[in-house]
Amino acid sequence: VAVCLTFDTPGATYAGTGDLGDDIRSAAEQKPTLAFISDLCASAGMWLAAQAGEVVATKTSIVGSIGTFLVIEDTSGAAEAAGIKVHVLRAGEFKGRTVDGAPVDAEALTEMQRIVNEINEHFVEAVADGRRLKIATVRELADGRVHLSTEAKKLGLIDRVGTLDAELTRLNQQLQRGKAKTMTDVRPQTEQQTPAEPATTAPPATTTPPAPPAA
């Protein structure tokens, strides 16, 4: 038995991505697991695909977008223009700092940037571990850019360029011969890397009740 996952996604929110990635990784350690990218595998999709035993993409696929962002809108100006004054009564210094209509200050943005940085560390570590790349290597790739499949292969984000029909045929032949490989067979564990401290980035200039960070 083998697993083939097809990817065509721009990504999603952080919520649930780590858990699903762990499930894919668990399956890949027990049975042959292929992630096939049919067109686009970006952001959270890259997080997930990296957990498979092998990652294959078509020659025109776009891969990558490693990074995390959170959109915060400061709607206090619009509220003021509408004649609305928002008062936030709080117990806890940072409670309600991103309420719609309330002004957003630098402290609130710095705190939200901290969360984005921490989430992004999980993303970088997951890709590095799944693809057996050094943390430093993935950190250099984590600039939000995407790459065509040929370049993604050079960077170590995918294993090869191919077609779904060819990959399914190859996988079936390996299963029939009893030579299909798990993740451990395909990419033996390398020396564990020690993650560096998260980088601190100047926060964006805007805020509202934030949606889950997107990966």
Side-chain angles (χ1 to χ4, degrees), residues 124-144:
V124 169
E125 290 170 15
V127 173
D129 192 38
R131 294 300 303 161
R132 299 295 194 261
L133 297 171
K134 293 182 178 179
I135 287 283
T137 299
V138 179
R139 201 176 299 286
E140 290 181 2
L141 297 175
D143 58 7

Side-chain angles (χ1 to χ4, degrees), residues 63-148:
V63 182
S65 189
I66 301 173
T68 306
F69 72 93
L70 173 64
V71 177
I72 298 179
E73 298 175 350
D74 188 333
T75 58
S76 58
E80 183 178 359
I84 300 171
K85 177 66 175 179
V86 176
H87 299 276
V88 180
L89 309 181
R90 61 171 61 89
E93 181 181 357
F94 288 94
K95 291 296 288 186
R97 284 287 187 102
T98 57
V99 169
D100 191 22
V104 180
D105 59 23
E107 279 189 327
L109 292 175
T110 299
E111 177 61 14
M112 298 311 296
Q113 183 68 55
R114 179 183 68 82
I115 298 300
V116 169
N117 289 344
E118 290 179 1
I119 290 172
N120 198 61
E121 284 303 297
H122 288 290
F123 191 173
V124 169
E125 290 170 15
V127 173
D129 192 38
R131 294 300 303 161
R132 299 295 194 261
L133 297 171
K134 293 182 178 179
I135 287 283
T137 299
V138 179
R139 201 176 299 286
E140 290 181 2
L141 297 175
D143 58 7
R145 289 188 297 172
V146 294
H147 310 276
L148 284 174

